[in-house]
Amino acid sequence: MEDDTSIISSRGIEAFGRKVTTTAGHLIGPLADPAAGTHYQNAMVDLHKQLRRPNLQRNVFSFAKTTPTDLVRSKLSTSEIQYRAISYVPDELLENIPEDDNVYSLFQGFQATLPESSSNGNKRRGRRVSRGRKLIEDNGSDPDVPPSLAKLQKDRHALNHQLELLGIRKNMSSSEIREIDLKIANLNAMRRIVLDRLAGLEQEEALLEHDIMDVENRLEDAQDQYEEEQMFAAQATPTQSTTADMDDTPEAQAMDASFMSESIYEKLPPTSSTPTKPKRHKTIRRKSMPILHEHFEPGSMIRELQAHNDMITAIDFDIPFGTMVTAALDDTVRVWDLSAGRCMGFLEGHTASVRAVQVEDNIAATGSMDATVRLWDLSKARYVPQDNRINKIDEEAEDEDDGMAFENPEDEPVLPPAGSMSDCPLFTLAAHVDEVTAIHFKGDTLISGSADKTLRQWDLEKGRCVQTLDVMWAAAQASATMGSSEGAWRRTGRLPDASADFVGALQVFDAALACGTADGMVRLWDLRSGQVHRSLTGHTGPVTSLQFDDAHLVTGSLDRTIRIWDLRTGTIFDAYSYDHPISSMMFDDRRIVSAAGEDVVKIFDKADGRQWDCGAGITAEEDGRTPAIVERVRIKDGYLTEGRRDGIVGIWTC
């Protein structure tokens, strides 16, 4: 607080004012009064005391040096001074103002954005027009013009003004749309950059996964080799001592002299050198899952591969952008790296075309027309994935010889090196007497269906058949047990199709087995008893595909229908049909995809019940080509692969 004795304070100003008034009064008053002189002297002394104070002298001196601008600024607050300093625009910016091609001024745009109040609204609100405004309007009108005509002119002027304002607002909206389009284009460009970055990260991730798998395989081989050496060393020590003791006996020396030459036995392999344990398969699960395809627009094509030269008969893959196995009527089975779009090698061993393929993690199973089922370990492939091109500029000359890693999609496909899959075969399952048309394995159990009208259960740990299920016998037993024709083999209403497989599709989970056959029946088996405990009747044509989850089973048939069954009740939950027979079907968490004799894949969205198409046939007319009919489809997590009759494999997002 200020000192009360200071002249700047309120009390000091009041006292000083009284003194000045008193001094002026005594100066004007009569000089003969002696008290007046004394009072005047006292007032002047007090005034001089006030003026001699240092604070007052400094304030007066600084006030004398203050400019009018500073006096004005002293009246402003700190925030206002900062705002004025920020809002100051230098001359350089004023000289570089961009040209504006807008025909409307800022005031017109502001006026157009204000809400217009109509005359009806004014009447409803009871608003009064000021008298001055009426006088102005009356003076602006021509007295010679009739009132009715003047009113019409006034209405025309108001309507024209509103039309002009609407035009301004329309142009403003158009400008805003252009700005939004520009922002969307910039965001799309940023999205493409981030997608490329994500693709690079997933490629690096795949490389690390491959390196980790390679190190683990070498570690396992080294450990097995070490254990075998230890076992051989333990077996060789007692054998050598026993042989030396026997050679010292006279009976052994006589036998050597009278029997065959010892060199014959030296050529025979010892018992310990033969493998004592079968070659087991080891499941290797990936530690990461690709997510790049989730950010693509549904129906977008990721890649198209000329996989074979004939019709695709079977196709499957493990995960999106993972490993795919394809088979065709050209009697070849090929393995593909989906992230790079290149062929890893050929699975050689079958003597006829492969009709069924399943890929689960690093294990692949193939069923062929040669009546055998073969298992493969794809992690044993001698394959180097696509290298990272970062910091590879100096190695251009070295990379010219590697045409596989960085091939041009428009060029002819480069064949993989011979023998790249020679270490992949695990074992062969041979017990069927006719072609294998359907296979499915889960864990250590594999089920195969054949044209010999049997289903066989295989133990993958021991590599042998543990149970044979005769479909015809089971159908007869079910008919006799139920006392009706529900489970019996029945003829479909259509003419028999020679190309239809006796066992069209099957799936196993633990002890449950679902099998679809050529009579249109779907039979649910219990592998513990080897009996059919339920038969689903509804299809009028051979069943070509099926798949089940916890609650539902979905089947596709040559009768052109897709049926969804409720496994809890055994009844039809939903059904829909297409124009052509269903040759392949599969579903994931959201969609059911089908190959229905067209050049597109039929997709049914389970969430909203919407049907839509995906494939090359949608843009066939625009591209000027005619895609082949889709024969096989597979989908996992929205990643769709489809195989066509001309050997092309298309990869899409949906």
Side-chain angles (χ1 to χ4, degrees):
M1 295 184 60
E2 296 180 352
D3 189 5
D4 293 340
T5 60
S6 175
I7 194 174
I8 304 301
S9 64
S10 59
R11 294 184 179 180
I13 292 175
E14 292 178 0
F16 184 75
R18 287 195 299 269
K19 292 175 183 179
V20 172
T21 305
T22 305
T23 303
H26 283 81
L27 289 175
I28 298 173
L31 299 175
D33 190 1
T38 305
H39 186 73
Y40 174 73
Q41 293 295 332
N42 294 333
M44 293 302 296
V45 170
D46 293 337
L47 183 60
H48 282 291
K49 288 181 180 180
Q50 295 287 345
L51 294 175
R52 288 193 188 100
R53 291 192 175 188
N55 293 332
L56 182 62
Q57 290 180 1
R58 281 196 298 268
N59 291 334
V60 173
F61 182 72
S62 62
F63 184 76
K65 295 178 63 177
T66 304
T67 61
T69 305
D70 294 334
L71 289 176
V72 174
R73 288 182 177 177
S74 65
K75 303 292 183 181
L76 303 175
S77 62
T78 304
S79 59
E80 189 174 358
I81 293 174
Q82 293 176 352
Y83 171 75
R84 294 194 178 194
I86 293 175
S87 61
Y88 171 72
V89 180
D91 296 337
E92 292 79 4
L93 293 179
L94 294 176
E95 292 177 357
N96 297 327
I97 296 178
E99 296 182 359
D100 188 8
D101 54 355
N102 197 347
V103 296
Y104 302 104
S105 65
L106 181 63
F107 175 74
Q108 288 177 321
F110 177 74
Q111 187 180 14
T113 56
L114 292 177
E116 289 287 335
S117 58
S118 61
S119 58
N120 295 330
N122 291 337
K123 290 180 180 179
R124 286 195 300 268
R125 297 186 182 92
R127 298 179 59 183
R128 298 180 180 178
V129 181
S130 63
R131 183 181 178 185
R133 184 175 177 181
K134 288 183 177 180
L135 292 175
I136 292 175
E137 292 177 354
D138 293 340
N139 292 332
S141 60
D142 191 355
D144 298 334
V145 178
S148 58
L149 184 59
K151 185 177 182 302
L152 291 175
Q153 292 177 351
K154 177 182 175 181
D155 294 341
R156 183 186 63 180
H157 176 71
L159 293 175
N160 288 331
H161 179 65
Q162 291 182 2
L163 181 62
E164 182 182 0
L165 295 182
L166 287 176
I168 296 173
R169 295 174 66 179
K170 183 177 69 174
N171 289 333
M172 291 175 61
S173 300
S174 178
S175 300
E176 291 180 0
I177 292 175
R178 284 193 293 269
E179 291 180 2
I180 293 174
D181 291 340
L182 182 60
K183 293 179 180 178
I184 292 175
N186 293 334
L187 290 175
N188 287 331
M190 295 176 61
R191 188 176 187 273
R192 286 192 295 270
I193 294 174
V194 177
L195 277 178
D196 293 340
R197 187 187 309 162
L198 178 60
L201 292 176
E202 290 196 348
Q203 285 187 357
E204 294 180 4
E205 192 177 56
L207 289 172
L208 289 178
E209 292 267 1
H210 181 271
D211 294 340
I212 292 173
M213 188 182 302
D214 184 38
V215 172
E216 289 179 350
N217 288 334
R218 286 188 293 172
L219 179 62
E220 183 182 357
D221 294 340
Q223 187 173 358
D224 292 342
Q225 184 178 1
Y226 176 75
E227 292 177 355
E228 290 179 359
E229 291 177 356
Q230 293 291 331
M231 184 178 61
F232 292 158
Q235 292 178 357
T237 303
T239 304
Q240 292 177 359
S241 60
T242 305
T243 305
D245 295 339
M246 292 179 62
D247 292 342
D248 295 338
T249 59
E251 292 81 1
Q253 295 177 359
M255 184 178 294
D256 292 339
S258 62
F259 203 61
M260 293 183 180
S261 173
E262 189 178 357
S263 61
I264 298 177
Y265 295 96
E266 291 179 353
K267 295 180 181 180
L268 296 177
T271 307
S272 60
S273 65
T274 59
T276 57
K277 58 181 181 179
K279 190 176 182 181
R280 294 182 55 186
H281 66 281
K282 178 184 176 182
T283 302
I284 301 176
R285 297 186 180 275
R286 289 195 57 171
K287 300 178 176 61
S288 59
M289 290 295 293
I291 58 174
L292 179 63
H293 65 285
E294 299 177 0
H295 303 282
F296 291 157
E297 192 72 19
S300 302
M301 185 179 71
I302 299 177
R303 195 183 297 274
E304 192 174 80
L305 304 172
Q306 182 64 53
H308 296 270
N309 299 322
D310 209 333
M311 185 179 74
I312 302 292
T313 57
I315 183 173
D316 196 15
F317 64 96
D318 54 355
I319 59 172
F321 297 99
T323 304
M324 178 178 66
V325 178
T326 59
L329 290 180
D330 57 4
D331 296 343
T332 60
V333 182
R334 306 192 183 196
V335 184
W336 299 86
D337 180 5
L338 291 177
S339 61
R342 56 183 278 196
C343 182
M344 299 169 56
F346 297 84
L347 298 180
E348 300 176 344
H350 286 292
T351 58
S353 298
V354 170
R355 297 291 309 278
V357 168
Q358 183 185 353
V359 181
E360 196 74 24
D361 296 324
N362 61 304
I363 304 299
T366 55
S368 171
M369 297 178 68
D370 61 4
T372 63
V373 177
R374 290 179 179 264
L375 261 72
W376 318 79
D377 187 354
L378 301 182
S379 64
K380 301 294 184 181
R382 292 195 292 269
Y383 166 73
V384 179
Q386 184 173 2
D387 297 331
N388 193 348
R389 296 296 285 177
I390 300 177
N391 299 328
K392 296 285 184 178
I393 300 177
D394 298 335
E395 303 176 6
E396 290 289 340
E398 299 178 3
D399 290 341
E400 289 180 357
D401 297 335
D402 187 9
M404 289 173 55
F406 312 106
E407 57 183 325
N408 188 350
E410 298 180 358
D411 297 338
E412 291 294 328
V414 180
L415 295 177
S420 60
M421 296 287 169
S422 59
D423 297 334
C424 293
L426 291 176
F427 46 79
T428 303
L429 307 177
H432 287 290
V433 296
D434 207 339
E435 60 177 308
V436 177
T437 57
I439 59 172
H440 188 270
F441 69 90
K442 188 71 175 179
D444 292 330
T445 300
L446 184 144
I447 305 295
S448 59
S450 171
D452 60 6
K453 300 180 176 57
T454 63
L455 305 175
R456 292 186 179 267
Q457 178 183 354
W458 305 85
D459 185 359
L460 298 184
E461 287 285 341
K462 301 177 181 179
R464 62 185 181 88
C465 179
V466 296
Q467 185 175 196
T468 301
L469 306 175
D470 191 327
V471 179
M472 301 297 291
W473 181 84
Q477 287 294 110
S479 177
T481 303
M482 298 176 185
S484 63
S485 60
E486 179 182 356
W489 186 267
R490 63 189 184 90
R491 298 290 182 181
T492 60
R494 301 176 183 273
L495 295 176
D497 189 356
S499 62
D501 298 327
F502 183 85
V503 180
L506 53 85
Q507 181 181 347
V508 62
F509 180 79
D510 199 8
L513 170 65
C515 173
T517 50
D519 63 342
M521 297 280 289
V522 178
R523 294 176 174 85
L524 306 181
W525 301 71
D526 187 352
L527 295 178
R528 294 168 295 188
S529 62
Q531 300 292 328
V532 177
H533 67 87
R534 178 173 292 178
S535 298
L536 306 180
T537 306
H539 284 295
T540 59
V543 177
T544 58
S545 53
L546 67 80
Q547 183 183 353
F548 64 82
D549 55 11
D550 297 337
H552 297 92
L553 182 143
V554 183
T555 57
S557 170
L558 294 182
D559 62 1
R560 302 176 298 176
T561 64
I562 298 288
R563 295 176 183 265
I564 305 174
W565 309 80
D566 191 338
L567 291 177
R568 295 162 293 188
T569 61
T571 58
I572 294 180
F573 176 77
D574 194 4
Y576 54 92
S577 62
Y578 292 112
D579 297 333
H580 303 282
I582 309 298
S583 60
S584 180
M585 181 278 307
M586 190 177 180
F587 67 85
D588 60 2
D589 295 336
R590 183 182 176 89
R591 310 157 194 84
I592 300 176
V593 298
S594 308
E598 299 183 18
D599 55 4
V600 294
V601 178
K602 298 293 185 178
I603 300 177
F604 174 72
D605 197 317
K606 296 187 292 185
D608 54 10
R610 181 173 62 97
Q611 296 269 3
W612 58 288
D613 298 339
C614 176
I618 298 177
T619 59
E621 297 181 358
E622 299 177 0
D623 299 340
R625 58 172 185 165
T626 304
I629 302 299
V630 177
E631 282 291 328
R632 295 289 183 265
V633 292
R634 304 295 290 177
I635 185 172
K636 294 179 182 179
D637 297 330
Y639 189 88
L640 171 67
T641 60
E642 44 98 4
R644 308 171 197 164
R645 290 183 179 178
D646 57 357
I648 293 179
V649 173
I651 305 169
W652 307 79
T653 59
C654 64

